[in-house]
Amino acid sequence: PVPDSSDAGIAASLNGLSDRQWDTLVSLTDEFARFGPGCWLEEDEARRIPGDCINPHYKLPTFVGETLQFLHEAKLLYDLDWVSWNKFGDDPLAHPAATMEALSRYSAEDAVRLASALAQAELVNDGVLGEALLSGVFLEVLARILRWRDPLL
């Protein structure tokens, strides 16, 4: 986890990425974009809790785990009080179009915080990350981080 979650601390992590790491992030983001939001997710019936229709469990493709691992190793995921951090509203997945529009205005540092919040929420509530993938929010988070380096993306 990033020890300094201030804008300056996250910017330092972004500045510290090598060209190879940026290329890896581009490749992983392209992988998400190639599949499009949600069309490649399927519910994992083996993990479904009977009667729970609110939080489905998803079989996530391997590149999702690879992306989270990359973000962790690149020090772009960190411990965050994600329950009280609400820059994108109380539930950024309740209104994904508004969240994606906000990402275009907010900083890459906020996109890193949102990625961290989604990853942490998934640990507590299976299905959060799947919803972020289905809606396209996670792809937009990655795209916003990439625009930190190249605003023309």
Side-chain angles (χ1 to χ4, degrees), residues 25-93:
L25 185 56
V26 167
S27 295
L28 290 166
T29 303
D30 287 348
E31 191 78 12
F32 278 90
R34 186 168 63 87
F35 281 90
C39 65
W40 36 269
L41 287 179
E42 61 180 283
E43 285 195 43
D44 186 350
E45 293 299 326
R47 294 184 60 211
R48 184 173 260 310
I49 300 168
D52 183 3
C53 59
I54 296 172
N55 298 309
H57 299 276
Y58 297 102
K59 293 179 184 176
L60 301 176
T62 338
F63 65 84
V64 174
E66 291 169 359
T67 302
L68 291 173
Q69 183 65 33
F70 168 80
L71 291 173
H72 176 75
E73 289 171 1
K75 297 185 172 98
L76 295 176
L77 288 181
Y78 61 93
D79 293 329
L80 171 75
D81 183 5
W82 59 273
V83 175
S84 63
W85 181 77
N86 61 356
K87 177 103 181 197
F88 292 90
D90 290 336
D91 183 358
L93 299 179

Coordinates of all heavy atoms in Angstrom, one line a residue, residues 25-93:
L25 N 0.5 -1.0 -17.9 CA -0.8 -0.5 -17.6 C -1.6 -0.2 -18.8 O -2.8 -0.5 -18.9 CB -0.7 0.8 -16.7 CG -2.0 1.4 -16.2 CD1 -2.8 0.4 -15.4 CD2 -1.7 2.6 -15.4
V26 N -1.0 0.2 -19.9 CA -1.7 0.4 -21.2 C -2.2 -0.9 -21.7 O -3.4 -1.0 -22.1 CB -0.7 1.1 -22.2 CG1 -1.3 1.0 -23.6 CG2 -0.5 2.6 -21.8
S27 N -1.4 -1.9 -21.6 CA -1.8 -3.3 -22.1 C -2.9 -3.8 -21.3 O -3.9 -4.4 -21.9 CB -0.6 -4.2 -22.1 OG 0.4 -3.9 -22.9
L28 N -2.9 -3.7 -20.0 CA -4.0 -4.2 -19.2 C -5.3 -3.4 -19.4 O -6.3 -4.0 -19.5 CB -3.6 -4.1 -17.7 CG -2.5 -5.1 -17.3 CD1 -1.9 -4.7 -15.9 CD2 -3.0 -6.5 -17.3
T29 N -5.1 -2.1 -19.6 CA -6.3 -1.3 -19.9 C -6.9 -1.7 -21.3 O -8.1 -1.8 -21.4 CB -6.0 0.2 -19.9 OG1 -5.4 0.5 -18.6 CG2 -7.2 1.1 -20.1
D30 N -6.0 -1.9 -22.2 CA -6.5 -2.4 -23.6 C -7.2 -3.7 -23.5 O -8.2 -3.9 -24.2 CB -5.3 -2.5 -24.5 CG -4.8 -1.2 -25.0 OD1 -5.4 -0.1 -24.7 OD2 -3.7 -1.1 -25.6
E31 N -6.8 -4.6 -22.6 CA -7.4 -5.8 -22.4 C -8.9 -5.6 -21.9 O -9.8 -6.3 -22.4 CB -6.6 -6.7 -21.4 CG -7.1 -8.1 -21.3 CD -6.6 -9.0 -22.4 OE1 -5.7 -8.5 -23.2 OE2 -7.1 -10.1 -22.6
F32 N -9.1 -4.7 -20.9 CA -10.4 -4.4 -20.5 C -11.3 -3.8 -21.6 O -12.4 -4.2 -21.8 CB -10.4 -3.4 -19.3 CG -10.1 -4.0 -18.0 CD1 -8.8 -4.1 -17.5 CD2 -11.1 -4.4 -17.2 CE1 -8.5 -4.6 -16.3 CE2 -10.9 -4.9 -15.9 CZ -9.6 -5.0 -15.5
A33 N -10.7 -2.9 -22.3 CA -11.4 -2.2 -23.4 C -11.8 -3.2 -24.5 O -12.9 -3.1 -25.1 CB -10.6 -1.1 -24.0
R34 N -10.9 -4.2 -24.8 CA -11.2 -5.2 -25.8 C -12.4 -6.0 -25.5 O -13.2 -6.3 -26.4 CB -10.0 -6.1 -26.0 CG -10.1 -7.0 -27.1 CD -8.7 -7.7 -27.4 NE -8.2 -8.5 -26.3 CZ -8.6 -9.8 -26.1 NH1 -9.4 -10.4 -27.0 NH2 -8.0 -10.5 -25.1
F35 N -12.6 -6.3 -24.3 CA -13.8 -7.1 -23.9 C -15.1 -6.2 -23.7 O -16.2 -6.7 -23.8 CB -13.5 -7.8 -22.6 CG -12.7 -9.1 -22.8 CD1 -11.3 -9.0 -22.8 CD2 -13.3 -10.3 -23.1 CE1 -10.6 -10.1 -23.0 CE2 -12.6 -11.4 -23.4 CZ -11.2 -11.3 -23.3
G36 N -14.9 -4.9 -23.5 CA -16.0 -4.1 -23.2 C -16.6 -4.3 -21.9 O -16.4 -5.3 -21.2
P37 N -17.4 -3.3 -21.4 CA -17.9 -3.4 -20.0 C -18.8 -4.6 -19.9 O -19.8 -4.7 -20.6 CB -18.7 -2.1 -19.8 CG -18.1 -1.2 -20.9 CD -17.7 -2.0 -22.0
G38 N -18.5 -5.5 -19.0 CA -19.4 -6.5 -18.5 C -19.7 -7.6 -19.4 O -20.3 -8.6 -18.9
C39 N -19.5 -7.6 -20.7 CA -20.0 -8.6 -21.6 C -19.3 -10.0 -21.3 O -19.7 -11.0 -21.8 CB -19.9 -8.2 -23.0 SG -18.2 -8.0 -23.6
W40 N -18.2 -10.0 -20.6 CA -17.4 -11.2 -20.4 C -17.5 -11.7 -19.0 O -16.9 -12.7 -18.6 CB -15.9 -10.9 -20.7 CG -15.5 -9.6 -20.3 CD1 -15.5 -8.4 -21.1 CD2 -15.0 -9.2 -19.0 NE1 -15.1 -7.4 -20.3 CE2 -14.8 -7.8 -19.1 CE3 -14.8 -9.8 -17.8 CZ2 -14.3 -7.1 -18.0 CZ3 -14.3 -9.1 -16.8 CH2 -14.0 -7.7 -16.9
L41 N -18.4 -11.1 -18.2 CA -18.6 -11.6 -16.8 C -19.7 -12.6 -16.7 O -20.7 -12.5 -17.4 CB -18.9 -10.5 -15.8 CG -17.8 -9.5 -15.5 CD1 -18.3 -8.5 -14.5 CD2 -16.6 -10.3 -14.8
E42 N -19.5 -13.6 -16.0 CA -20.6 -14.6 -15.7 C -20.7 -14.8 -14.2 O -19.7 -14.7 -13.5 CB -20.4 -15.9 -16.5 CG -19.1 -16.6 -16.1 CD -19.0 -17.9 -16.8 OE1 -19.6 -18.9 -16.5 OE2 -18.1 -17.9 -17.7
E43 N -21.9 -15.0 -13.8 CA -22.1 -15.2 -12.3 C -21.5 -16.6 -12.0 O -21.6 -17.5 -12.7 CB -23.6 -15.2 -12.0 CG -24.1 -13.8 -11.9 CD -25.4 -13.6 -11.2 OE1 -25.6 -14.3 -10.2 OE2 -26.3 -12.9 -11.8
D44 N -20.9 -16.6 -10.8 CA -20.4 -17.9 -10.3 C -21.4 -18.5 -9.3 O -21.5 -18.1 -8.2 CB -19.1 -17.5 -9.5 CG -18.3 -18.7 -9.0 OD1 -18.9 -19.9 -9.1 OD2 -17.2 -18.6 -8.5
E45 N -22.2 -19.4 -9.9 CA -23.3 -20.0 -9.2 C -22.8 -20.8 -8.0 O -23.6 -20.8 -7.0 CB -24.1 -20.9 -10.1 CG -24.9 -20.1 -11.2 CD -25.9 -19.1 -10.7 OE1 -26.5 -19.4 -9.6 OE2 -26.1 -18.1 -11.3
A46 N -21.6 -21.3 -8.0 CA -21.1 -22.1 -6.9 C -20.9 -21.2 -5.7 O -21.0 -21.7 -4.6 CB -19.8 -22.8 -7.3
R47 N -20.7 -19.9 -5.9 CA -20.5 -19.0 -4.7 C -21.7 -18.2 -4.3 O -21.7 -17.4 -3.4 CB -19.3 -18.1 -5.1 CG -18.0 -18.8 -5.2 CD -16.9 -17.9 -5.5 NE -16.7 -17.0 -4.4 CZ -16.2 -15.8 -4.5 NH1 -15.9 -15.3 -5.7 NH2 -16.1 -15.0 -3.4
R48 N -22.8 -18.4 -5.1 CA -24.0 -17.6 -4.8 C -24.6 -18.0 -3.5 O -24.7 -19.2 -3.2 CB -25.0 -17.7 -5.9 CG -26.2 -16.8 -5.6 CD -27.2 -16.8 -6.8 NE -27.2 -15.7 -7.7 CZ -27.2 -14.5 -7.4 NH1 -27.1 -14.1 -6.2 NH2 -27.2 -13.6 -8.3
I49 N -25.0 -17.1 -2.7 CA -25.7 -17.3 -1.4 C -27.2 -17.4 -1.7 O -27.7 -16.5 -2.3 CB -25.4 -16.2 -0.4 CG1 -23.9 -16.1 -0.1 CG2 -26.2 -16.4 0.9 CD1 -23.5 -14.9 0.6
P50 N -27.8 -18.5 -1.3 CA -29.2 -18.7 -1.6 C -30.0 -17.5 -1.1 O -29.9 -17.0 0.0 CB -29.6 -19.9 -0.9 CG -28.3 -20.7 -0.8 CD -27.3 -19.7 -0.6
G51 N -30.8 -16.9 -2.0 CA -31.7 -15.8 -1.6 C -31.0 -14.4 -1.8 O -31.6 -13.4 -1.6
D52 N -29.7 -14.4 -2.1 CA -29.0 -13.1 -2.2 C -29.0 -12.7 -3.6 O -28.2 -13.1 -4.4 CB -27.5 -13.3 -1.7 CG -26.8 -12.0 -1.7 OD1 -27.4 -10.9 -2.0 OD2 -25.6 -12.0 -1.4
C53 N -29.9 -11.8 -3.9 CA -30.0 -11.3 -5.3 C -29.3 -9.9 -5.4 O -29.3 -9.3 -6.5 CB -31.4 -11.3 -5.8 SG -32.5 -10.2 -4.8
I54 N -28.8 -9.4 -4.3 CA -28.3 -8.0 -4.3 C -26.8 -8.1 -4.7 O -26.3 -7.2 -5.5 CB -28.5 -7.3 -3.0 CG1 -29.9 -7.2 -2.7 CG2 -27.7 -6.0 -2.9 CD1 -30.2 -6.7 -1.3
N55 N -26.1 -9.0 -4.2 CA -24.6 -9.0 -4.4 C -24.2 -10.3 -5.2 O -23.8 -11.3 -4.5 CB -23.9 -9.0 -3.1 CG -24.2 -7.7 -2.4 OD1 -24.0 -6.6 -3.0 ND2 -24.6 -7.8 -1.1
P56 N -24.3 -10.3 -6.5 CA -23.9 -11.5 -7.2 C -22.4 -11.7 -7.1 O -21.6 -10.8 -6.9 CB -24.3 -11.3 -8.6 CG -24.4 -9.8 -8.7 CD -24.8 -9.3 -7.4
H57 N -22.0 -12.9 -7.2 CA -20.6 -13.3 -7.3 C -20.2 -13.5 -8.7 O -21.0 -14.1 -9.5 CB -20.3 -14.5 -6.5 CG -20.6 -14.4 -5.0 ND1 -19.7 -13.8 -4.1 CD2 -21.7 -14.7 -4.3 CE1 -20.3 -13.8 -2.9 NE2 -21.5 -14.3 -3.0
Y58 N -19.0 -13.0 -9.2 CA -18.7 -13.1 -10.6 C -17.4 -14.0 -10.7 O -16.5 -13.9 -9.8 CB -18.4 -11.8 -11.2 CG -19.7 -10.9 -11.2 CD1 -19.9 -9.9 -10.3 CD2 -20.6 -11.1 -12.2 CE1 -21.0 -9.1 -10.3 CE2 -21.8 -10.4 -12.2 CZ -22.0 -9.4 -11.3 OH -23.1 -8.6 -11.3
K59 N -17.3 -14.7 -11.8 CA -16.0 -15.3 -12.2 C -15.3 -14.2 -12.9 O -15.7 -13.8 -14.0 CB -16.3 -16.5 -13.1 CG -17.0 -17.6 -12.4 CD -17.2 -18.8 -13.4 CE -18.0 -19.9 -12.8 NZ -18.4 -20.9 -13.8
L60 N -14.2 -13.8 -12.4 CA -13.4 -12.7 -13.0 C -12.3 -13.2 -13.8 O -11.6 -14.2 -13.4 CB -12.9 -11.8 -11.9 CG -13.9 -11.1 -11.0 CD1 -13.2 -10.3 -9.9 CD2 -14.8 -10.2 -11.7
P61 N -12.2 -12.7 -15.0 CA -11.1 -13.1 -15.9 C -9.7 -12.9 -15.2 O -9.6 -12.1 -14.4 CB -11.2 -12.2 -17.2 CG -12.6 -11.7 -17.1 CD -13.0 -11.6 -15.7
T62 N -8.7 -13.7 -15.7 CA -7.4 -13.6 -15.1 C -6.8 -12.2 -15.2 O -6.1 -11.8 -14.2 CB -6.5 -14.6 -15.8 OG1 -7.2 -15.6 -16.5 CG2 -5.5 -15.2 -14.9
F63 N -7.1 -11.5 -16.2 CA -6.4 -10.2 -16.4 C -6.9 -9.2 -15.3 O -6.2 -8.2 -15.0 CB -6.5 -9.6 -17.8 CG -7.9 -9.3 -18.2 CD1 -8.5 -8.1 -17.9 CD2 -8.6 -10.2 -19.0 CE1 -9.7 -7.7 -18.4 CE2 -9.9 -9.8 -19.5 CZ -10.4 -8.6 -19.1
V64 N -8.1 -9.5 -14.7 CA -8.6 -8.6 -13.6 C -7.6 -8.7 -12.4 O -7.2 -7.7 -11.9 CB -10.0 -8.9 -13.3 CG1 -10.5 -8.1 -12.1 CG2 -10.9 -8.7 -14.5
G65 N -7.3 -10.0 -12.0 CA -6.4 -10.2 -10.9 C -5.0 -9.7 -11.3 O -4.3 -9.1 -10.4
E66 N -4.6 -9.9 -12.5 CA -3.3 -9.4 -12.9 C -3.2 -7.8 -12.8 O -2.2 -7.3 -12.4 CB -3.0 -9.8 -14.4 CG -2.7 -11.3 -14.5 CD -2.7 -11.7 -16.0 OE1 -2.9 -10.8 -16.9 OE2 -2.5 -12.9 -16.2
T67 N -4.3 -7.2 -13.1 CA -4.4 -5.7 -13.0 C -4.3 -5.3 -11.6 O -3.5 -4.3 -11.2 CB -5.6 -5.2 -13.7 OG1 -5.7 -5.6 -15.1 CG2 -5.7 -3.7 -13.6
L68 N -5.1 -5.9 -10.7 CA -5.0 -5.6 -9.3 C -3.6 -5.8 -8.7 O -3.1 -5.0 -7.9 CB -6.1 -6.3 -8.5 CG -7.5 -5.9 -8.8 CD1 -8.5 -6.9 -8.1 CD2 -7.8 -4.5 -8.4
Q69 N -3.0 -6.9 -9.1 CA -1.6 -7.2 -8.7 C -0.7 -6.2 -9.1 O 0.2 -5.7 -8.4 CB -1.2 -8.6 -9.1 CG 0.1 -9.1 -8.6 CD 0.2 -9.2 -7.1 OE1 -0.8 -9.6 -6.5 NE2 1.3 -8.9 -6.6
F70 N -0.8 -5.8 -10.4 CA 0.1 -4.7 -11.0 C -0.1 -3.4 -10.2 O 0.9 -2.8 -9.8 CB -0.2 -4.5 -12.4 CG 0.4 -3.3 -13.0 CD1 1.8 -3.3 -13.3 CD2 -0.3 -2.1 -13.1 CE1 2.4 -2.1 -13.7 CE2 0.4 -0.9 -13.5 CZ 1.7 -0.9 -13.8
L71 N -1.4 -3.0 -10.0 CA -1.6 -1.8 -9.2 C -1.0 -1.8 -7.8 O -0.4 -0.9 -7.3 CB -3.1 -1.5 -9.2 CG -3.8 -1.1 -10.5 CD1 -5.3 -1.0 -10.3 CD2 -3.2 0.2 -11.1
H72 N -1.1 -3.0 -7.2 CA -0.5 -3.2 -5.9 C 1.0 -3.0 -5.9 O 1.6 -2.3 -5.1 CB -1.0 -4.5 -5.3 CG -0.3 -4.8 -3.9 ND1 -0.7 -4.1 -2.8 CD2 0.7 -5.6 -3.6 CE1 0.0 -4.6 -1.8 NE2 0.9 -5.4 -2.2
E73 N 1.6 -3.8 -6.8 CA 3.1 -3.7 -6.9 C 3.6 -2.4 -7.4 O 4.7 -2.0 -7.0 CB 3.5 -4.8 -7.9 CG 3.4 -6.2 -7.4 CD 3.6 -7.3 -8.4 OE1 4.0 -7.0 -9.6 OE2 3.5 -8.5 -8.1
A74 N 2.8 -1.6 -8.1 CA 3.2 -0.3 -8.6 C 2.9 0.8 -7.5 O 3.1 2.0 -7.7 CB 2.5 0.1 -9.9
K75 N 2.4 0.3 -6.3 CA 2.1 1.2 -5.2 C 1.0 2.2 -5.6 O 1.0 3.3 -5.2 CB 3.3 1.9 -4.7 CG 4.3 0.9 -4.1 CD 5.5 1.7 -3.5 CE 6.4 0.7 -2.8 NZ 7.5 0.3 -3.5
L76 N 0.0 1.6 -6.3 CA -1.2 2.4 -6.7 C -2.5 1.9 -6.1 O -3.6 2.3 -6.5 CB -1.3 2.5 -8.2 CG -0.2 3.2 -9.0 CD1 -0.4 3.1 -10.5 CD2 -0.1 4.6 -8.5
L77 N -2.3 1.1 -5.1 CA -3.4 0.7 -4.2 C -3.0 0.8 -2.8 O -1.8 0.6 -2.5 CB -3.8 -0.8 -4.5 CG -4.5 -1.2 -5.7 CD1 -4.8 -2.7 -5.8 CD2 -5.8 -0.4 -6.0
Y78 N -3.8 1.3 -2.0 CA -3.4 1.5 -0.6 C -4.6 1.5 0.3 O -5.8 1.5 -0.1 CB -2.7 2.9 -0.4 CG -3.6 4.0 -0.8 CD1 -4.3 4.7 0.1 CD2 -3.7 4.4 -2.1 CE1 -5.1 5.7 -0.2 CE2 -4.5 5.5 -2.5 CZ -5.2 6.1 -1.5 OH -6.0 7.1 -1.9
D79 N -4.3 1.4 1.6 CA -5.4 1.4 2.6 C -6.1 2.7 2.6 O -5.4 3.8 2.7 CB -4.8 1.0 4.0 CG -4.3 -0.4 4.1 OD1 -4.8 -1.2 3.4 OD2 -3.3 -0.6 4.8
L80 N -7.4 2.7 2.6 CA -8.2 3.9 2.5 C -9.4 3.7 3.3 O -10.0 2.6 3.3 CB -8.6 4.1 1.0 CG -9.6 5.2 0.6 CD1 -8.9 6.5 0.7 CD2 -10.1 4.9 -0.8
D81 N -9.8 4.7 4.0 CA -11.1 4.7 4.7 C -12.2 4.8 3.7 O -12.8 5.9 3.6 CB -11.2 5.8 5.8 CG -12.4 5.7 6.6 OD1 -13.2 4.8 6.4 OD2 -12.6 6.7 7.4
W82 N -12.4 3.8 2.9 CA -13.3 3.8 1.7 C -14.8 4.0 2.1 O -15.6 4.5 1.3 CB -13.1 2.6 0.8 CG -13.4 1.3 1.5 CD1 -12.5 0.6 2.2 CD2 -14.6 0.6 1.6 NE1 -13.0 -0.6 2.7 CE2 -14.4 -0.6 2.4 CE3 -15.9 0.8 1.1 CZ2 -15.3 -1.5 2.6 CZ3 -16.8 -0.1 1.3 CH2 -16.6 -1.3 2.1
V83 N -15.1 3.7 3.3 CA -16.5 3.8 3.8 C -16.8 5.3 3.9 O -17.9 5.8 3.5 CB -16.8 3.1 5.1 CG1 -18.2 3.4 5.6 CG2 -16.5 1.6 4.9
S84 N -15.9 6.1 4.4 CA -16.2 7.5 4.6 C -15.7 8.4 3.5 O -16.1 9.5 3.4 CB -15.6 8.0 6.0 OG -14.2 7.9 6.0
W85 N -14.8 7.9 2.7 CA -14.3 8.7 1.5 C -15.4 8.6 0.4 O -15.7 7.6 -0.1 CB -13.0 8.1 1.0 CG -12.5 8.8 -0.2 CD1 -11.8 10.0 -0.1 CD2 -12.5 8.5 -1.6 NE1 -11.4 10.4 -1.4 CE2 -11.9 9.5 -2.3 CE3 -13.1 7.4 -2.3 CZ2 -11.8 9.5 -3.7 CZ3 -12.9 7.4 -3.7 CH2 -12.3 8.4 -4.3
N86 N -16.0 9.7 0.1 CA -17.1 9.7 -0.8 C -17.0 10.8 -1.9 O -18.0 11.5 -2.2 CB -18.4 9.8 -0.1 CG -18.6 11.0 0.7 OD1 -17.6 11.9 0.8 ND2 -19.7 11.2 1.3
K87 N -15.8 11.0 -2.4 CA -15.7 12.0 -3.5 C -16.6 11.8 -4.6 O -17.1 12.7 -5.3 CB -14.2 12.0 -4.0 CG -13.9 12.9 -5.1 CD -13.2 14.1 -4.6 CE -12.8 15.0 -5.7 NZ -11.8 16.0 -5.4
F88 N -16.9 10.5 -4.9 CA -17.8 10.1 -5.9 C -19.3 9.8 -5.5 O -20.0 9.2 -6.1 CB -17.3 8.9 -6.7 CG -16.0 9.3 -7.4 CD1 -14.8 9.1 -6.8 CD2 -16.0 9.7 -8.7 CE1 -13.6 9.4 -7.5 CE2 -14.9 10.1 -9.4 CZ -13.7 9.9 -8.8
G89 N -19.6 10.3 -4.3 CA -20.9 10.0 -3.7 C -20.9 8.8 -2.8 O -19.9 8.1 -2.7
D90 N -22.0 8.5 -2.1 CA -22.0 7.4 -1.2 C -21.8 6.1 -1.9 O -21.3 5.1 -1.3 CB -23.4 7.4 -0.4 CG -23.4 8.6 0.5 OD1 -22.4 9.1 1.0 OD2 -24.6 9.0 0.9
D91 N -22.3 5.9 -3.1 CA -22.1 4.6 -3.8 C -21.8 5.0 -5.3 O -22.7 5.2 -6.1 CB -23.4 3.8 -3.7 CG -23.3 2.5 -4.4 OD1 -22.2 2.2 -5.0 OD2 -24.2 1.7 -4.3
P92 N -20.5 5.0 -5.6 CA -20.1 5.3 -7.0 C -20.7 4.4 -8.0 O -20.7 4.7 -9.2 CB -18.6 5.3 -6.9 CG -18.2 4.5 -5.8 CD -19.4 4.6 -4.8
L93 N -21.1 3.2 -7.6 CA -21.6 2.2 -8.6 C -23.1 2.3 -8.8 O -23.7 1.7 -9.7 CB -21.2 0.8 -8.2 CG -19.7 0.5 -8.1 CD1 -19.4 -0.9 -7.6 CD2 -19.0 0.8 -9.4

